[in-house]
C-alpha cells in the first residue's frame, strides 16, 4: 500500500487523536512513525499518541517557539501551516478531546436526554428553544462537567461557542458557505478578493471536507420534507432559494435516511455534538496538524492572562482543570510567538484584560471594538393545518431563502429543522441579516471581568429584517409566528447568537495579516478578525482568511522561502 504524504499525515494524526483520548491523555502529540509502520496499519493502535511532557516542565525548560491558544478554525490552520514548515507548536485548549466514546458507547450525549457532556459547566441545559407550546420541557438538569457547548451570557446577548479540540466545529450546524464575491469587499475591505477566491476559499473548502446534497436526492429524502415545504412556500412568496453546502458527509446522511447506518443528523444530534457523519476539525485540519508530529495539544488548559515577557516574547498564565472542574495545576509559559485562536470572545476578552490590567498596556484602543453577531436571529412559523413537515428531520440545514440582493435589508435565511421526533408543523429559520450595530468589550474592574457593551435594542434592525422577509409568507398562507418557543412570547429570537465575530478587527486592531499593532510576534487568527458580519455563516471565511494570513506571515515573519 502506498500513501501520499498528505494521506499519511492525516492517517497518523487521526490515529493519534483517537488513541490519545483512549489513553486518557490530557496532553499529547503524534508519535513519529515510519512509512513501513503506516503502510502496515500499525499506527492505529494505542501507541500512535505519545503523552507530551507536562506543560509546567516544558515551560521550565525555556521559552517555547510558538504557542497557539484555542483549537478552533483559526488555531487549527495556524498550527498546521507552522508545523508543516518544521516549527514545533504547542496548542492550549480549555476544552476536552472528543474522540473516544464514553461507557455508553457515545462520544456525545443524546440531544433529548443530555448529560454533563452536553454543556460547559452548567447544571441545566440552555438550548436556543426555551419552551414548546409554552411548556418548560426542553431544558434538562445535568451535572456540571466540561461539556462541549457553552452559552456565554454577555449582558444584552448570549453567544453559543464550542469547547473542545475542534472548537465550534464540534457543535455547529456544518453549514459551509462561501460568501458571494460581490459581497466580499464589504466583509473584509483591504483583503485582495481575487487572491481569496482563486486560492484560499477553494483550499479551505477542500480541507474542511465541504460537500453538497444531490438535488435529486433532496427532492425525495424523508429527512428534508421540512425544508422542501418551507422552500416551496418561500418560492410562492416570490423569494429565491439556494442549496447550502455542508461539512456533514452527505453520503452518510443518505444512508441514514434509508436506515442503513447509525443515525446522527436524523436523530436530533447537533448542538451537543454529532456522534457520526460530521467532518469536525479533529478529522480535518487538526488531524493533519497533529500528523506532522510537531504539534502538542494540551487539553483542559485555559489561558487566564497574557503579558509581555521581559527580554521579548510573551508570557501566559495557564490553569489546568480536570473534567469535573477541579484545578490541577497553574503555571506560566513563555513563548517567542503567540497566535490567538480562542474565538471572537476568547481572544478579544484575553486582549482587553491584558491591555486594561497592565499585561499589555500598549495594545491599541481598537482591541475590543467592532464586535457583531453576524446579524443572527431565529424565527419560527406555524404551517397550514394538515401540512406535514416530517417526523424525522435532518439537523443539518441544506437549503436557504436567499434574499441577499434586497436593496435595504439583505437576508440569508437557512431553513432549520425543529427535530422533536414527531410531526410538529413548524417551519423555522436561522437568518443572517445585515445589522450595522457593533459592540465593544471593556474591562469591568468592579467584577474583575471583561464585559460586552451590547443592548438588546441593537438587534432591532435584525428583527425588522427577518420579519420583513417572513411577514409576506405568513400573509400568503394565512399562518402565524410561533411565539411559544423562544421564551417571553418572542416571535423572533434576538437574545442569543451562534456567530460571534470581531473584537480584534483586521486592519484596525491588527494589520492586514492579523499582526497585533505594536506587538511583534503577537497574532490573531480567528473570528475576532472579522468585522462583525460575513453575509453568510462564518467558518469557511475564518478558515480561508487564516490560510491567507498564515501563507504571508510564514514568508514575511518566519523566513519561509518556498
Ligand atoms: P472557535 O471555533 O470558537 O474556537 C476557539 C477555541 O478556543 C475553543 O475550542 C475554545 O474552547 C478555546 N478557548 C477559548 N478561550 C480559551 C482560553 N482562554 N484558553 C484556552 N482555550 C480557549 O473559534 N458557523 C458556520 O459557518 N456554519 C454553521 O453551521 C455554524 N453553526 C453554528 C452552531 C453553533 C451551535 C455554534 C456555537 C456556532 C456555529 N457556527 C457556525 C459558528 C462557527 O462555529 C464559529 O464561527 C467558529 O467556530 C469560530 O471559529 P474560531 O476559530 O474563531
Amino acid at each position: 500500500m502506498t500513501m501520499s504524504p498528505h494521506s499519511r499525515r492525516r492517517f497518523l494524526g487521526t490515529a493519534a487523536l483517537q488513541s490519545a483520548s483512549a489513553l486518557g491523555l490530557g496532553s499529547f502529540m503524534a508519535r513519529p512513525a515510519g512509512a513501513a509502520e503506516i503502510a502496515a496499519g500499525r499506527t492505529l493502535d494505542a501507541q500512535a499518541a505519545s503523552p507530551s511532557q507536562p506543560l509546567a516542565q516544558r515551560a521550565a525548560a525555556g521559552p517555547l517557539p510558538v504557542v497557539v491558544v484555542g483549537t478552533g478554525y483559526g488555531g487549527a490552520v495556524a498550527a498546521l501551516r507552522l508545523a508543516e514548515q518544521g516549527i514545533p507548536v504547542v496548542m492550549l485548549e480549555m476544552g476536552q478531546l472528543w474522540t473516544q466514546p464514553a461507557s455508553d458507547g457515545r462520544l456525545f450525549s443524546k440531544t433529548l436526554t443530555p448529560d454533563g457532556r452536553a454543556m460547559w459547566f452548567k447544571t441545566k441545559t440552555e438550548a436556543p428553544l426555551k419552551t414548546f407550546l409554552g411548556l418548560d420541557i426542553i431544558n434538562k438538569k445535568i451535572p456540571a462537567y466540561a461539556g462541549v457547548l457553552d452559552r456565554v451570557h454577555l449582558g444584552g446577548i448570549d453567544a453559543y461557542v464550542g469547547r473542545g479540540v475542534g472548537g465550534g466545529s464540534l457543535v455547529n450546524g456544518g453549514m459551509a458557505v462561501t460568501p458571494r464575491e460581490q459581497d466580499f469587499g464589504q466583509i473584509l475591505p483591504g483583503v485582495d478578493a481575487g487572491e481569496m477566491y482563486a486560492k484560499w476559499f477553494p483550499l479551505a473548502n477542500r480541507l474542511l471536507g465541504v460537500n453538497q446534497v444531490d438535488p435529486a436526492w433532496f427532492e425525495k429524502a424523508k429527512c428534508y420534507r421540512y425544508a422542501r415545504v418551507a422552500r416551496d412556500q418561500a418560492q410562492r412568496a416570490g423569494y429565491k432559494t439556494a442549496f447550502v453546502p455542508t461539512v456533514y458527509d452527505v453520503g452518510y446522511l443518505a444512508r441514514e435516511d434509508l436506515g442503513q447506518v447509525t443515525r446522527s443528523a436524523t436523530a436530533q444530534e447537533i448542538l451537543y455534538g454529532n456522534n457520526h457523519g460530521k467532518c469536525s476539525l479533529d478529522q480535518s485540519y487538526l488531524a493533519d496538524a497533529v500528523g506532522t508530529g510537531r504539534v502538542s495539544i494540551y487539553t483542559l488548559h485555559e489561558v487566564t492572562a497574557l503579558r509581555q515577557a521581559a527580554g521579548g516574547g510573551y508570557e501566559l498564565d495557564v490553569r489546568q482543570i480536570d473534567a469535573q472542574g477541579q484545578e490541577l495545576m497553574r503555571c506560566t509559559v513563555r513563548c517567542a510567538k503567540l497566535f490567538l485562536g480562542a474565538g471572537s470572545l476568547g481572544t478579544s476578552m484575553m486582549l482587553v484584560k491584558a491591555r486594561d490590567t497592565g499585561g499589555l498596556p500598549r495594545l491599541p484602543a481598537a482591541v475590543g471594538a467592532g464586535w457583531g453577531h453576524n446579524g443572527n436571529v431565529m424565527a419560527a412559523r406555524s404551517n397550514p393545518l394538515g401540512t406535514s413537515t416530517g417526523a424525522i428531520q435532518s439537523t443539518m440545514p441544506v437549503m436557504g431563502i436567499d434574499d441577499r440582493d434586497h436593496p435595504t435589508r439583505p437576508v440569508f435565511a437557512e431553513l432549520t429543522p425543529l427535530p422533536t421526533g414527531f410531526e410538529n408543523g413548524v417551519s423555522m429559520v436561522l437568518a443572517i441579516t445585515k445589522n450595522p450595530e457593533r459592540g465593544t468589550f471593556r474591562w469591568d474592574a468592579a467584577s474583575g471581568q471583561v464585559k460586552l457593551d451590547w443592548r438588546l435594542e441593537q438587534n432591532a434592525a435584525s428583527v425588522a429584517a427577518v420579519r420583513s422577509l417572513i411577514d409576506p409568507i405568513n400573509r400568503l398562507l394565512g399562518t402565524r409566528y410561533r411565539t411559544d418557543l423562544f421564551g417571553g412570547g418572542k416571535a423572533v429570537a434576538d437574545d442569543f447568537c451562534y456567530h460571534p465575530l470581531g473584537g480584534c478587527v483586521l486592519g484596525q486592531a491588527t494589520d492586514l495579516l492579523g499582526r497585533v499593532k505594536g506587538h511583534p510576534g503577537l497574532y490573531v487568527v480567528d473570528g475576532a478578525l472579522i468585522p462583525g458580519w460575513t453575509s453568510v455563516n462564518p467558518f469557511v471565511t475564518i478558515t480561508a482568511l487564516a490560510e491567507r494570513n498564515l501563507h504571508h506571515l510564514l514568508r514575511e515573519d518566519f523566513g519561509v522561502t518556498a
Side-chain angles (χ1 to χ4, degrees):
M1 182 174 88
T2 53
M3 268 186 173
S4 70
H6 177 256
S7 338
R8 176 171 178 259
R9 197 171 67 184
R10 170 82 50 104
F11 181 80
L12 183 57
T14 303
L17 284 159
Q18 282 175 3
S19 54
S21 210
L23 293 169
L25 300 177
S27 61
F28 58 92
M29 62 191 309
R31 181 177 63 93
E37 275 179 286
I38 292 167
R42 284 204 301 272
T43 54
L44 266 182
D45 60 22
Q47 298 305 310
S50 308
S52 286
Q53 209 180 10
L55 189 66
Q57 258 180 39
R58 208 155 164 176
L64 300 165
V66 170
V67 168
V68 175
V69 184
T71 57
Y73 294 91
V77 172
L80 170 61
R81 298 307 173 201
L82 289 157
E84 67 182 7
Q85 294 301 330
I87 300 162
V89 175
V90 163
M91 300 189 86
L92 303 177
E93 168 55 55
M94 66 192 277
Q96 301 201 66
L97 177 64
W98 295 94
T99 53
Q100 279 290 324
S103 54
D104 64 355
R106 296 169 182 276
L107 298 176
F108 300 108
S109 63
K110 284 182 164 179
T111 307
L112 301 184
T113 49
D115 57 34
R117 287 171 289 181
M119 294 207 77
W120 182 254
F121 296 108
K122 306 271 185 200
T123 51
K124 191 174 180 190
T125 57
E126 297 182 14
L129 261 57
K130 285 205 171 72
T131 55
F132 188 76
L133 296 172
L135 302 171
D136 180 13
I137 51 173
I138 305 238
N139 286 304
K140 308 276 168 32
K141 289 198 172 136
I142 51 169
Y145 181 76
V148 71
L149 178 71
D150 200 357
R151 178 166 172 152
V152 184
H153 303 278
L154 294 163
I157 194 159
D158 293 352
Y160 283 103
V161 292
R163 300 271 180 236
V165 175
S169 76
L170 299 166
V171 294
N172 68 32
M175 287 174 271
V177 193
T178 299
R180 300 184 306 181
E181 195 164 349
Q182 69 257 42
D183 296 328
F184 189 78
Q186 297 177 61
I187 301 164
L188 285 167
V191 174
D192 178 355
E195 183 190 337
M196 288 296 290
Y197 285 83
K199 280 173 101 166
W200 310 120
F201 277 121
L203 178 66
N205 273 279
R206 187 161 53 76
L207 260 71
L208 289 167
V210 177
N211 60 174
Q212 190 161 303
V213 291
D214 171 3
W217 174 79
F218 171 81
E219 294 304 333
K220 58 180 200 300
K222 288 195 287 289
C223 62
Y224 284 115
R225 173 182 279 279
Y226 77 91
R228 292 192 299 273
V229 166
R231 175 204 55 189
D232 295 348
Q233 293 169 339
Q235 287 179 349
R236 278 177 57 201
Y239 293 119
K240 281 193 292 188
T241 57
F243 279 102
V244 174
T246 176
V247 291
Y248 201 86
D249 178 346
V250 297
Y252 191 90
L253 188 52
R255 293 195 292 282
E256 277 186 55
D257 200 51
L258 294 173
Q260 294 172 345
V261 290
T262 311
R263 297 195 302 147
S264 179
T266 57
Q268 291 106 8
E269 292 182 354
I270 175 168
L271 286 177
Y272 306 143
N274 279 90
N275 283 294
H276 306 278
K278 191 162 72 169
C279 184
S280 44
L281 287 168
D282 49 314
Q283 298 173 45
S284 60
Y285 272 97
L286 289 169
D288 290 349
V290 170
T292 63
R294 296 188 195 97
V295 174
S296 306
I297 302 183
Y298 289 82
T299 58
L300 294 169
H301 282 63
E302 181 189 8
V303 175
T304 57
L306 298 180
R307 72 187 76 82
Q308 197 85 55
Y314 296 91
E315 260 179 21
L316 298 83
D317 291 340
V318 183
R319 172 176 178 262
Q320 183 188 3
I321 57 168
D322 66 18
Q324 278 67 40
Q326 207 61 37
E327 186 170 301
L328 301 177
M329 183 275 310
R330 277 181 187 263
C331 71
T332 297
V333 178
R334 190 167 160 189
C335 61
K337 310 245 191 224
L338 177 58
F339 286 77
L340 298 180
S344 162
L345 304 185
T347 292
S348 307
M349 287 179 167
M350 250 187 286
L351 287 176
V352 166
K353 180 177 171 191
R355 180 188 61 205
D356 297 349
T357 61
L360 296 170
R362 291 180 300 101
L363 281 173
V367 163
W371 184 85
H373 57 57
N374 211 20
N376 264 188
V377 282
M378 291 192 88
R381 313 175 8 251
S382 60
N383 267 299
L385 215 58
T387 308
S388 161
T389 50
I392 293 181
Q393 305 192 355
S394 167
T395 53
M396 297 291 136
V398 294
M399 174 62 65
I401 305 174
D402 185 357
D403 209 18
R404 282 175 286 181
D405 286 326
H406 193 282
T408 55
R409 53 115 191 97
V411 179
F412 192 59
E414 281 133 352
L415 307 175
T416 53
L418 180 55
T420 49
F422 53 84
E423 280 287 355
N424 55 51
V426 175
S427 287
M428 197 149 73
V429 295
L430 166 67
I432 295 160
T433 65
K434 191 172 181 194
N435 184 332
E437 294 285 340
R438 293 293 175 266
T440 303
F441 292 98
R442 65 179 167 79
W443 176 248
D444 178 52
S447 63
Q449 285 179 340
V450 177
K451 299 265 162 95
L452 176 71
D453 285 328
W454 179 272
R455 288 163 293 104
L456 192 61
E457 307 85 81
Q458 291 180 271
N459 246 337
S462 298
V463 173
V466 80
R467 288 196 81 122
S468 144
L469 182 95
I470 290 180
D471 285 353
I473 304 179
N474 275 339
R475 276 198 297 274
L476 179 78
L477 300 170
T479 53
R480 296 169 167 232
Y481 288 100
R482 289 285 297 248
T483 53
D484 59 313
L485 301 173
F486 302 116
K490 280 178 190 289
V492 178
D494 59 354
D495 54 351
F496 64 83
C497 69
Y498 301 111
H499 302 167
L501 294 169
C504 293
V505 170
L506 191 84
Q508 297 176 24
T510 72
D511 72 1
L512 286 174
L513 291 177
R515 299 179 185 103
V516 178
K517 287 186 177 166
H519 291 73
L522 180 60
Y523 307 91
V524 174
V525 289
D526 55 23
L529 291 173
I530 311 273
W533 178 75
T534 54
S535 77
V536 291
N537 320 61
F539 74 63
V540 174
T541 305
I542 294 170
T543 307
L545 183 68
E547 285 282 18
R548 166 210 181 250
N549 291 355
L550 261 292
H551 173 85
H552 294 294
L553 291 172
L554 280 164
R555 276 144 195 85
E556 293 182 21
D557 294 9
F558 290 80
V560 170
T561 48

